[in-house]
Amino acid sequence: MNDIPAWRLFWAKTDKNNPNSAWTRPLWAHLLDVAHTALLLWQFFLPHELKQRIARDLGLSPEEAGYVLSFWIGLHDIGKAIPTFQALHPPSREKLEAAGFRFEGFNERKHHGHASIAILAGWLSHRKGSPLFEQVAAWVGAHHGRLYARQYWENDLSNPGILGDKNWKAARHALLDALHKVWFARYPVQASVDPPGHLMPTWLPAFGGWATLADWLGSMASFFPRDTGTGLTAYLEKSRRGAEQALRSAGFERQAHLHYPGFEALFPFAPNPMQEALVRMPLPEKGAPSLVLVEGPTGEGKTEGAFALTARLQEHTRGSGLYTAMPTQATSDGLFERTLDFLQKAHTGTANFRLVHGNADLSPDQENLICEVEDLDALFDQDDQNGPERTEGVVRTLTWFLPRKRSLLAPYGLGTVDQAFLGVLYARHFFLRLFALSGKTVLFDEVHAYDLYMQHLFVRLLRWLHALGCHVILLSATLPARFREACFKAWGDAAPENDISPASVPYPAIWQVQNGKATLYRGGFPTRWMQKARLIRFTPDPDEIARKAVAAYEEGAVVLVICNTVRRAQAIFQALPEEVRAQTKDVMLLHARYRFGQRKARQDRVLERFGKERPSGRGAILVATQLAEQSLDLDADVLFTDLAPIDLLLQRAGRLHRHLELRPSEERPEGYRVPMVYWLCPEADPGCLPDLSDIGIRASRYTVYAPAIAWKTWAVLKDLAEWHLPADYRTLIEAVYADDQQAPEGLSNEGQEQWEQAIQTVGKMEKEAENEAFRQLIPEPTRRGLRKLLDPDRRTLADEDNDEAHPSQRVLTRLGAESAEVVVLFTGTSGNLYLDPACTEPAPLSVPAGRKDLPVESVRALLQNGVRISYEDIAQALRERDETELPEPWRQAAAHTPALQHRHPLVLTEGKADVAGYRITEDAELGICIERVKK
């Protein structure tokens, strides 16, 4: 024992299946493994511009900066060299006690990541290193997703009950000194590593994400030698080779870079004026993050133009990929094929592409892409043997990136904006998400769909993306001036040049924002989407809507009805005559309250019948909710729409006469060659505002839309017989969203009082949204914000996957009524559980022998029956059920199956379930129906 340094006895990992096994992975070896993994990530994975920025701040060359910070990442687990951790492995404890290490009296437990911060801070002080590395140590110690404030690690330093006595301290310092000596002998740094003490760089959170990723990869024990030998120097090369194998196995060596082969090489058509502007836009200086905002009508090809610009930006700046953030899961799924096609044509390497949202694993498109690295190697080997070089890229999803926490790390991602929001909320590993977005071009589509709470989150996210050197592209039909200018301000405090007034901004418009300036790059150019539409107020009564829709249907028109709530969509569909509803190929209902598998199949049918390639010559009716507003590329002849905020009405109207190149107006049914918008709103009494409660708009925190905005929209539309789009876009938007709170003209005292109450309600809702957002958001990327980021009140970060936690303990990417993810199951007289109402398909809840959890196939089958129910009383009742109230097969299956643990079984017995005063049933056509039980 006396012949080797005492620190060699410290262990880091052991056999989980046999904790008393004599085998351990020495702490010193694990630290070197992770250091090498970090170094290879720096060399082959980290974004070029991020590395340049870090190197400049450290005053080192990029190569030397990688050596220094990789060493610090390697020290992440030094906190395992404390009595309470080393005591967890009895054989190691015996050896340490024999070597003179004392365990008695050191019983105060401390997470080893947090102990690492205190130990590294003490070692740094001993060596008189730069204060910047205290912050580096703090982010290294957060690699398990837990922040730890300065006052706590300083307390730990003076608390011998945690870190042990002087023997423990001496051994740790000897280990750190030995690692420092051998590392920098192998990877020398010529310059002095002494950054300014006041430096608080904005890349620190991304550095924390890099450290987390390095630990995950460096802990893949099968790639590192079990026999570590005795010499650190001799082990260095073995460790590096193991790190290379770990990275290769996960797919981190395959970092394809986009290139721009020309617009028509990417898409099978010539660019229109908007797209032409984007492919000719001047590119930013290297190292200068840029924001581009594209405001244009729906159906104008904004997405293809943004993809082309992305390829140009990534080729120009050596970026690390693309993340496309959509407002919903449905819009993400709808863009999947187009993204896949773009990636195949924009490079010749391998694109590691991941669908990123809560139900991504249920997507058959995603499942078809899943691939092991070995299979990818075989694919390329086969191509090399069989013919000429590949002319298009290969797009696959490598299995290492499938777990939800890793998904955003894939170089190419398509998912919800919520996944990006989690990077600026106090969620576990938020900094890993910021790291995952660093260097990417981040494309936000349908930005107009964000509510006020989401706008607050979005502005904070823009500040961080700017600080991390990302390029950002925003796509929107249009934005209210105040939101647009808030986005500009978030991007380096930029403001529009020449003080352009909101009303005078031409439409469509492309803005370029960089170096503190928001420039109107091009505006008012011609579009291929021009629409003169007749506007007709119509009663919201379901029977009258059904009568009018059927008349249009019988005249050969394709009719689209968009409702604000599921309940209204179901009521209007039920009001259609039975013989019309029986025409299931032409008459359909679509909303979000179908079981997932049903909804996907129904959505595919809707696209086939009402989409771009829809058949002509016969009428059809689609009754839908907001899914049809933004998720689907539909083409209708006439629109019935509940009154909604003006920007959303314009979005809905974008489904009218959408594909004129395939179906010119003159070829549409007579009487429908001019688009018609029936906006559904009750008649208002003289001097009063209309009652909007029947269409889901009321003075409530959880209303679909704020009444004041809906009433302002009503005031704009009530005297308008037609609109001309896109010419009227800007005028209509600013008329509704201008900051003035002036009431519509002609109101009586009663109407004026209604208006003032509505304005007060909006003000209260806005304040609540702002307060909740600022409670959840991490600070801004400023020196003060970074200091505040390690706030002692935020040591415990919320788990975004845990819907069961109290709202105060969860991160919220959206505000709204409490909801619950349920799995619908059926039972009959037998009491067994089934997946179908006929009780013919047993629910796969049996855990196979030899396993603790359900197989993937069983989980997928169950989740196909999933649906989100957004009734607060029902959600609360499901969460508060005692465990004994759950079906026993579910309890046993969910106990060790993470995908089921935050979902609730909803068992329909003989077709119904009563929960919290509501009766829940399922209808083959209507989907899940929820009615309050009459007492």
Side-chain angles (χ1 to χ4, degrees), residues 747-819:
L747 293 183
S748 64
N749 290 338
E750 180 184 354
Q752 187 71 37
E753 184 178 343
Q754 277 184 289
W755 174 256
E756 290 174 358
Q757 289 178 348
I759 292 297
Q760 291 176 6
T761 299
V762 167
K764 183 179 179 181
M765 291 168 62
E766 288 182 350
K767 192 63 179 175
E768 287 178 354
E770 181 181 29
N771 290 341
E772 182 61 27
F774 291 155
R775 185 183 77 82
Q776 301 253 4
L777 284 165
I778 66 172
E780 294 185 349
T782 62
R783 185 179 177 189
R784 180 181 178 186
L786 285 161
R787 289 191 182 280
K788 188 180 177 183
L789 193 49
L790 296 178
D791 189 301
D793 293 336
R794 285 293 188 174
R795 286 180 295 152
T796 302
L797 299 180
D799 183 353
E800 68 269 23
D801 293 333
N802 184 6
D803 288 338
E804 306 310 299
H806 188 273
S808 64
Q809 301 299 317
R810 297 206 313 270
V811 288
L812 302 175
T813 57
R814 301 169 191 244
L815 285 186
E818 286 291 299
S819 61

Side-chain angles (χ1 to χ4, degrees), residues 72-92:
W72 277 90
I73 289 174
L75 306 183
H76 69 298
D77 269 355
I78 189 63
K80 290 183 174 180
I82 60 175
T84 50
F85 185 90
Q86 292 299 309
L88 296 175
H89 184 242
S92 294

Side-chain angles (χ1 to χ4, degrees), residues 448-617:
H448 53 263
Y450 302 168
D451 62 23
L452 188 64
Y453 176 77
M454 295 171 72
Q455 289 177 20
H456 285 299
L457 270 55
F458 184 65
V459 167
R460 183 63 51 86
L461 176 61
L462 284 181
R463 288 193 180 278
W464 274 100
L465 295 179
H466 177 266
L468 292 171
C470 296
H471 297 296
V472 169
I473 304 172
L474 311 183
L475 305 181
S476 182
T478 188
L479 290 180
R482 60 180 178 177
F483 182 34
R484 181 174 66 241
E485 291 175 11
C487 295
F488 293 166
K489 185 172 177 57
W491 202 260
D493 291 321
E497 288 186 305
N498 304 322
D499 297 322
I500 304 175
S501 68
S504 65
V505 175
Y507 186 89
I510 298 176
W511 299 82
Q512 190 171 32
V513 189
Q514 56 188 15
N515 299 325
K517 295 179 181 179
T519 304
L520 181 61
Y521 172 66
R522 192 171 176 197
F525 43 81
T527 72
R528 62 185 177 190
W529 193 86
M530 308 290 289
Q531 183 185 97
K532 171 188 173 183
R534 293 177 57 199
L535 303 175
I536 305 165
R537 190 206 65 80
F538 197 73
T539 175
D541 177 73
D543 291 328
E544 290 300 310
I545 297 167
R547 180 187 60 78
K548 192 76 171 177
V550 169
Y553 161 68
E554 290 175 343
E555 291 170 351
V558 171
V559 181
L560 176 58
V561 183
I562 301 183
C563 305
N564 291 341
T565 66
V566 173
R567 179 191 290 269
R568 267 187 59 74
Q570 291 172 328
I572 292 171
F573 186 81
Q574 281 183 296
L576 296 173
E578 186 175 344
E579 63 272 17
V580 173
R581 294 202 310 270
Q583 306 301 313
T584 55
K585 290 184 178 180
D586 295 326
V587 181
M588 301 181 193
L589 173 66
L590 181 66
H591 54 72
R593 211 189 294 152
Y594 290 99
R595 288 181 277 143
F596 185 88
Q598 289 179 320
R599 174 176 154 186
K600 180 67 171 67
R602 186 170 287 262
Q603 184 170 301
D604 291 343
R605 285 174 50 213
V606 164
L607 281 171
E608 183 178 345
R609 182 63 187 87
F610 297 86
K612 181 177 181 179
E613 305 295 336
R614 70 173 173 84
S616 300

Side-chain angles (χ1 to χ4, degrees), residues 567 702 816-820 822 869-881 904 906 914-920 930-933 935:
R567 179 191 290 269
Y702 300 126
E818 286 291 299
S819 61
V822 306
I869 293 182
S870 297
Y871 277 61
E872 190 166 14
D873 293 345
I874 295 176
Q876 185 175 350
L878 292 175
R879 287 199 178 94
E880 293 177 355
R881 279 190 298 187
H904 306 272
L906 178 66
D914 292 334
V915 181
Y918 292 89
R919 172 150 294 176
I920 304 174
I930 302 176
E931 298 290 339
R932 188 176 288 278
V933 178
K935 295 183 179 179

Side-chain angles (χ1 to χ4, degrees), residues 74-275:
L75 306 183
H76 69 298
D77 269 355
I78 189 63
K80 290 183 174 180
I82 60 175
T84 50
F85 185 90
Q86 292 299 309
L88 296 175
H89 184 242
S92 294
R93 174 173 177 160
E94 291 178 9
K95 292 179 182 178
L96 286 163
E97 285 179 326
F101 286 87
R102 191 161 60 87
F103 284 82
E104 292 74 16
F106 309 128
N107 300 319
E108 190 171 340
R109 294 298 301 270
K110 178 66 58 179
H111 187 274
H112 69 265
H114 297 164
S116 292
I117 304 174
I119 292 166
L120 291 174
W123 182 66
L124 188 68
S125 175
H126 172 71
R127 297 180 65 89
K128 297 183 173 57
S130 168
L132 170 65
F133 290 105
E134 276 197 358
Q135 296 296 322
V136 169
W139 286 103
V140 165
H143 63 277
H144 282 280
R146 305 177 183 184
L147 299 182
Y148 208 56
R150 169 185 284 275
Q151 71 180 72
Y152 291 96
W153 83 60
E154 288 180 343
N155 290 342
D156 293 346
L157 276 169
S158 59
N159 185 349
I162 295 174
L163 302 183
D165 57 22
K166 62 182 181 180
N167 285 346
W168 288 91
K169 179 179 179 180
R172 288 192 299 263
H173 280 204
L175 169 56
L176 292 169
D177 289 340
L179 291 170
H180 186 275
K181 180 179 179 181
V182 72
W183 182 263
F184 289 106
R186 173 65 178 82
Y187 304 109
V189 176
Q190 305 301 325
S192 171
V193 185
D194 191 23
H198 61 78
L199 186 64
M200 189 68 66
T202 55
W203 47 260
L204 279 170
F207 167 81
W210 172 24
T212 300
L213 175 58
D215 180 44
W216 288 351
L217 293 169
S219 298
M220 296 169 69
S222 61
F223 297 103
F224 296 92
R226 286 177 68 93
D227 181 9
T228 56
T230 57
L232 273 65
T233 301
Y235 181 70
L236 276 176
E237 287 307 314
K238 295 179 182 178
S239 173
R240 184 180 178 105
R241 287 196 297 272
E244 289 171 349
Q245 293 173 12
L247 264 66
R248 188 179 302 116
S249 74
F252 281 92
E253 67 170 9
R254 295 184 181 275
Q255 296 304 307
H257 296 284
L258 295 179
H259 72 284
Y260 179 64
F263 190 90
E264 291 179 62
L266 293 175
F267 309 106
F269 47 82
N272 63 29
M274 173 179 285
Q275 295 160 342

